[in-house]
Amino acid sequence: MSRLKPPAWFVLLLPAIIILAAVVLIPLLLSLYSSFTPYRLTRPDSLYRWIGFANYEKALTSIHFWTAFGRTVLLLTIALNLEMLMGLGLALLVNKVTWGQRTLRTIMMFPMMFSPILVGFQFKFIFNDNVGLVNNALQSLGLTDQAIPWLVDGKLAFFSILVAEMWSATSVFAILILAGLFAVPRDPIEAATVDGCTPWQTFRHITLPFIMPFIYIALAIRSLDVARAYDIVQIMTNGGPARRTELLWTLIGRTGYVDARMGYANAMGYISIFLAIFFTVYFFRKLNAARGELGMAS
Amino acid sequence: MAQVQLRSVVKKYGSLEVVHGIDLDIADNEFVVLVGPSGCGKSTTLRMIAGLEAISGGEIAIGERVVNDLPPRHRNISMVFQNYALYPHMTVRENLGFSLKIANRPQSEIDRAVEEAANILSLSDYMDRKPGALSGGQRQRVAMGRAIVRHPEVFLFDEPLSNLDAKLRTQMRTEIKKLHQKVQSTIVYVTHDQVEAMTLADRIVIMRDGHIEQVGTPLEVFENPVNTFVATFIGSPPMNLLPATITNGEVAIENGPSVALPSAFEGKVREGQAVILGFRADNLMPRGHSLPMEGQHAAFDMKVNLSEPLGTETLLFSSLAGREVQAKMLNPRPVSPGETLPFQLDLTRCHLFDAASEASLR
């Protein structure tokens, strides 16, 4: 009696297939499916009602969704650019340090060692309108006699969140760009100096092209980070007041777990994923172009 | 075009002094080669002229200007680096035109200068390639082209050929020489290869441990080395050196035969003085396979330990007075190891150095 024997390659791949299916594929398909249902965590049977694209229509026509989307893109654009510039400046300065550079590099990484939740709490305290450091400092210096509502006013709250984001992530740029600066060969820089370049021209024409790949790697990593920003905002303002600092994932998180409308939350999640994918693809294209410039393209 | 002057130039790294007050005058349009073993300070000296290293003491002048405190961009120099130092993200054309672009020259002028350099160095076929797509020799030519487009007052070459294979090195050496004839400018060239130094230089500067040992034309330093260091460094194979004593008006080689005192040294040595006898392989040849030796010469037998046939001549490794000496054999015939041959030493071409100071007694 010969039973049907599966081919060897299939047997060998089976453990990987099972794990991938359990960890990635099934949750993905399940969440995708649930986005086509009015699934509520409190009413499990709602998972079996198919409503087609209703959730997507709802999200795409929702003013709340689009404001959160726009605000996320805005935060991403401003935060990434400022972090990149500050990180670049920091890296250039540290690169010039000849004594105690190792210690400085370690200190530079401190912000990355804190949980974003704690950073959130810390900045919530710093920007608190009554007991916060910022208001106290401003009042002591006599710059204002009012309690500025840092976390209550919509624009100021956005600014406060931006500051917290930048504090925690500028070092990511600084570290990666510093690694890039270490890898810049000395010869072309000397050649440029002899060729008549001022220090700024040397930086602009020689150093910068060499560190561009590192900048794009940092941008790609950080764009994913900011596109899924949740923890700091959740702690500092919880998306409030009155949705004025609502980002995509605080909105989705609240819809899914507080309002228990998981089907709708999943639909918004799938739309938001495209944002992250777009930025990743964009920066990796840029990265490859920059590497190609240097003749390093694979 | 300009002359370069170094006056008591010193370079220190912290408390370590690596260049000890060197003086050198380089004339306009002169091709000067700094040569010496690695660590002798030749590259450091060049980099001080370029402005890539600060000068710790003394003065460097290019043309009439003292350039000590001028950044490289104000010195009007070009430099060719050992590993080319091309800009990898620019095409050959951009590499060549970069310095002019930085200087905000009009595009038409840049194009003309780039075109001219490309023609001189036959680079026209690769103008739109990036350095990554070029061979070593082509990269070297681009590096040279980048130096010539600016028409600088002084060209500096820092071991430009040491990354090339032997054949290409010979070829590029010729090109550099041709280039010098075409562009007519002052060149300071650093190398550790004495053949490059001999073939290229108008004048050779031989350096050791941060000091200049000798300055002279290639023939001068070859014919009249001032000390044993120069004698062994210049010329291939290196000069044979044997310890000897002046005894009874003759040069008595330690544990070996005595030879007559070369007439050039009469009156310059004293009886009993410890000396070093130096002679090149070209002046020690087996009888019947040598140039006619009409002047003063010595003859003795030596056992040949090893022979290296080079075609037109064979290099013989023999022992004399317990030391290895190298000799040459013209119109060579096969020599078997251990064979004893009668040798002739041309005394008119011999050198005597003081044993203690190692300086020439000439």
Side-chain angles (χ1 to χ4, degrees):
Chain A
M1 288 295 290
S2 71
R3 288 196 305 162
L4 184 67
K5 208 175 156 207
W9 62 264
F10 181 75
V11 178
L12 290 172
L13 283 177
L14 203 57
I17 292 173
I18 290 173
I19 290 171
L20 275 180
V23 178
V24 179
L25 200 63
I26 292 175
L28 204 65
L29 289 177
L30 197 64
S31 62
L32 183 64
Y33 163 76
S34 75
S35 70
F36 294 101
T37 68
Y39 180 42
R40 300 182 78 114
L41 291 178
T42 46
R43 304 232 305 269
D45 58 318
S46 57
L47 185 58
Y48 306 107
R49 239 184 76 216
W50 182 266
I51 55 164
F53 283 93
N55 280 331
Y56 287 90
E57 268 172 46
K58 195 166 144 196
L60 292 173
T61 52
S62 155
I63 184 76
H64 294 313
F65 177 77
W66 282 116
T67 11
F69 191 95
R71 196 173 285 119
T72 308
V73 174
L74 188 69
L75 178 71
L76 207 136
T77 316
I78 298 177
L80 251 51
N81 278 302
L82 289 180
E83 283 170 18
M84 194 271 277
L85 289 176
M86 286 176 58
L88 179 62
L90 204 58
L92 287 172
L93 287 177
V94 172
N95 193 36
K96 287 282 175 205
V97 173
T98 49
W99 189 87
Q101 199 193 52
R102 281 159 180 272
T103 320
L104 262 181
R105 290 206 306 259
T106 314
I107 292 173
M108 233 160 67
M109 298 185 73
F110 279 0
M112 294 158 75
M113 296 174 191
F114 293 105
S115 155
I117 300 276
L118 291 180
V119 175
F121 276 121
Q122 188 59 36
F123 277 90
K124 190 176 190 176
F125 162 67
I126 289 174
F127 284 113
N128 185 290
D129 41 9
N130 287 319
V131 295
L133 276 180
V134 176
N135 274 352
N136 264 320
L138 289 178
Q139 284 161 5
S140 307
L141 290 169
L143 295 174
T144 179
D145 51 359
Q146 291 167 345
I148 300 170
W150 289 105
L151 296 174
V152 180
D153 180 88
K155 289 204 176 83
L156 288 178
F158 183 79
F159 171 79
S160 308
I161 289 169
L162 188 66
V163 171
E165 271 291 339
M166 283 171 59
W167 182 85
S168 66
T170 295
S171 58
V172 177
F173 279 87
I175 296 282
L176 282 169
I177 293 174
L178 190 61
L181 285 172
F182 285 164
V184 176
R186 207 182 56 167
D187 282 354
I189 292 193
E190 289 189 339
T193 328
V194 174
D195 262 351
C197 286
T198 60
W200 161 250
Q201 285 170 322
T202 309
F203 172 76
R204 165 72 191 78
H205 294 287
I206 312 297
T207 311
L208 197 58
F210 269 106
I211 56 174
M212 269 335 266
F214 292 85
I215 290 179
Y216 284 126
I217 288 172
L219 283 171
I221 293 174
R222 281 294 299 156
S223 70
L224 287 179
D225 266 355
V226 181
R228 63 179 165 77
Y230 176 79
D231 20 31
I232 288 182
V233 184
Q234 182 65 29
I235 298 300
M236 284 177 73
T237 62
N238 190 15
R243 293 182 185 269
R244 267 177 253 159
T245 55
E246 189 88 288
L247 296 182
L248 270 180
W249 289 99
T250 56
L251 173 67
I252 295 167
R254 183 168 324 101
T255 313
Y257 298 110
V258 180
D259 306 349
R261 282 150 56 199
M262 196 47 92
Y264 181 41
N266 278 338
M268 291 195 288
Y270 271 97
I271 301 171
S272 311
I273 289 291
F274 286 109
L275 184 67
I277 292 176
F278 168 78
F279 275 100
T280 316
V281 169
Y282 175 75
F283 285 127
F284 269 92
R285 286 238 170 109
K286 286 285 199 183
L287 171 65
N288 278 331
R291 283 168 56 86
E293 275 284 291
L294 291 173
M296 302 196 298
S298 44
Chain B
M1 307 303 130
Q3 69 273 30
V4 178
Q5 286 177 315
L6 281 70
R7 299 184 204 111
S8 337
V9 171
V10 173
K11 177 68 195 177
K12 282 184 196 165
Y13 292 107
S15 59
L16 179 72
E17 190 171 298
V18 294
V19 175
H20 314 287
I22 58 172
D23 290 284
L24 184 63
D25 272 310
I26 299 166
D28 193 14
N29 281 350
E30 195 177 20
F31 196 133
V32 165
V33 176
L34 306 184
V35 66
S38 47
C40 71
K42 55 190 190 300
S43 281
T44 310
T45 307
L46 190 81
R47 291 169 60 83
M48 282 193 285
I49 301 175
L52 295 171
E53 298 278 353
I55 301 162
S56 316
E59 237 176 37
I60 294 182
I62 298 175
E64 299 302 315
R65 286 184 307 170
V66 173
V67 296
N68 281 36
D69 299 321
L70 286 183
R73 64 177 188 279
H74 293 145
R75 295 191 182 195
N76 201 9
I77 44 155
S78 283
M79 184 153 169
V80 179
F81 293 81
Q82 178 172 3
N83 25 22
Y84 323 128
L86 300 179
Y87 310 125
H89 52 296
M90 300 181 196
T91 61
V92 170
R93 189 187 304 282
E94 288 163 341
N95 261 287
L96 292 177
F98 182 67
S99 60
L100 298 178
K101 197 180 116 196
I102 287 299
N104 279 322
R105 300 284 180 77
Q107 189 61 43
S108 58
E109 183 192 331
I110 299 179
D111 289 343
R112 202 164 353 102
V114 167
E115 212 52 48
E116 185 195 339
N119 284 336
I120 291 178
L121 293 161
S122 352
L123 284 169
S124 308
D125 295 343
Y126 326 111
M127 294 305 270
D128 296 313
R129 289 205 206 162
K130 286 193 175 159
L134 298 177
S135 71
Q138 290 163 347
R139 285 181 206 185
Q140 186 57 61
R141 287 214 293 276
V142 177
M144 277 166 34
R146 199 172 58 178
I148 63 175
V149 287
R150 296 179 53 213
H151 298 291
E153 292 186 325
V154 181
F155 283 100
L156 306 174
F157 287 83
D158 187 8
E159 309 210 17
L161 304 183
S162 47
N163 283 358
L164 301 177
D165 63 58
K167 193 177 164 207
L168 207 51
R169 199 179 305 162
T170 319
Q171 196 182 325
M172 290 304 293
R173 207 167 64 202
T174 321
E175 291 203 28
I176 290 177
K177 188 124 198 179
K178 279 187 199 155
L179 182 73
H180 180 229
Q181 282 162 4
K182 263 184 223 167
V183 298
Q184 284 297 319
S185 58
T186 313
I187 295 185
V188 186
Y189 186 107
V190 161
T191 179
H192 60 261
D193 180 355
Q194 57 92 19
V195 179
E196 262 172 48
M198 292 291 283
T199 48
L200 289 171
D202 292 332
R203 272 197 308 157
I204 295 184
V205 177
I206 297 137
M207 293 185 67
R208 177 173 60 161
D209 297 336
H211 291 285
I212 291 181
E213 297 286 329
Q214 188 173 5
V215 182
T217 66
L219 281 184
E220 269 167 27
V221 297
F222 183 79
E223 300 282 354
N224 296 314
V226 294
N227 56 25
T228 53
F229 172 76
V230 177
T232 47
F233 194 80
I234 297 292
S236 174
M239 186 183 278
N240 297 304
L241 295 175
L242 296 171
T245 319
I246 306 295
T247 318
N248 301 328
E250 288 199 323
V251 183
I253 298 169
E254 202 173 283
N255 306 323
S258 287
V259 298
L261 181 67
S263 49
F265 292 94
E266 269 168 31
K268 293 182 178 169
V269 293
R270 54 186 158 65
E271 183 67 18
Q273 187 177 6
V275 295
I276 295 168
L277 174 69
F279 52 88
R280 299 198 183 274
D282 315 65
N283 305 119
L284 178 64
M285 295 183 173
R287 195 183 307 144
H289 294 273
S290 64
L291 297 168
M293 290 192 191
E294 278 141 13
Q296 202 185 11
H297 63 268
F300 40 82
D301 289 349
M302 285 196 303
K303 199 169 81 174
V304 175
N305 301 325
L306 187 75
S307 61
E308 281 182 357
L310 297 171
T312 52
E313 58 190 30
T314 293
L315 204 54
L316 302 175
F317 292 77
S318 323
S319 32
L320 179 63
R323 289 173 187 260
E324 181 167 89
V325 295
Q326 296 180 36
K328 269 187 189 165
M329 181 187 215
L330 301 182
N331 307 318
R333 64 166 175 86
V335 178
S336 45
E339 197 176 332
T340 302
L341 293 174
F343 280 89
Q344 284 181 310
L345 174 63
D346 186 349
L347 289 176
T348 59
R349 312 297 296 271
C350 279
H351 301 267
L352 283 180
F353 303 95
D354 182 67
S357 67
E358 301 192 334
S360 175
L361 292 167
R362 188 172 292 253

